[in-house]
Amino acid sequence: EAGVAQSPRYKIIEKRQSVAFWCNPISGHATLYWYQQILGQGPKLLIQFQNNGVVDDSQLPKDRFSAERLKGVDSTLKIQPAKLEDSAVYLCASSLLSWGETQYFGPGTRLLVL
Amino acid sequence: RKEVEQDPGPFNVPEGATVAFNCTYSNSASQSFFWYRQDCRKEPKLLMSVYSSGNEDGRFTAQLNRASQYISLLIRDSKLSDSATYLCVVRHNTDKLIFGTGTRLQVFP
């Protein structure tokens, strides 16, 4: 079974630029999550989708971050404009349903903002 | 105060040693508990769930004390391949996962 796919794997941008990340969850998984993992910290949930609806985006900095999952399958996360403190690994995860299911993580996109 | 607290380590132990990690959580409404493993520059992967009765998977034993809001992971007979960061994770009743900062383990020959 194919895992969660993410691209790009690495991205270097200058502050104030825009960047977008893509995630394709495991086939059939209804729930998709975006996490931000800053060096030395655990992952922090940014947004959770159930199919194409948002379940939780309480920790998403909505002035600069946006995410969509238009057809309920793959998803994009965008940062516009980027700040130095956005340097982190952005992890996408998916689970079959929502409640009580194991979340499977993709390899992440490592972002460096200069 | 962080919602999930762990000692960041690193724990440096020789092969064959027994090592224990502890974790505390602040939200008494937390529903379920896990240990995830994260290798350097890799994604987190579920190691094991943690149940009130305690559970064991080979060399790994996890325990939960709800009264003290405390979770532990014991690794017996450490292997070089156990070197990784171990993340304590709590699930809310909203299904949200809250991760600790992780405890780094380095097993040396």
Side-chain angles (χ1 to χ4, degrees), chain A residues 10 33 35 37 40-43 45 48 56 58-59 91 98-103 105-107 110, chain B residues 31 34 36 38 40-46 87 91-102:
Chain A
Y10 305 92
Y33 313 79
Y35 289 86
Q37 187 173 20
Q41 299 182 20
L45 180 69
Q48 176 183 344
D56 184 346
S58 58
Q59 294 192 96
L91 293 159
S98 182
W99 286 98
E101 294 285 343
T102 298
Q103 294 184 22
F105 285 82
R110 194 171 296 271
Chain B
Q31 298 252 319
F34 310 90
Y36 273 70
Q38 187 169 28
C40 188
R41 303 177 79 84
K42 299 284 188 180
E43 71 272 22
K45 292 184 180 178
L46 179 65
L87 297 160
R91 188 197 298 266
H92 286 181
N93 56 4
T94 59
D95 196 42
K96 187 173 181 175
L97 291 185
I98 308 295
F99 286 78
T101 56

Side-chain angles (χ1 to χ4, degrees), chain A residues 100, chain B residues 30-34 50 66 89-92:
Chain B
S30 299
Q31 298 252 319
S32 45
F33 309 89
F34 310 90
V50 188
R66 283 190 183 268
V89 187
V90 167
R91 188 197 298 266
H92 286 181

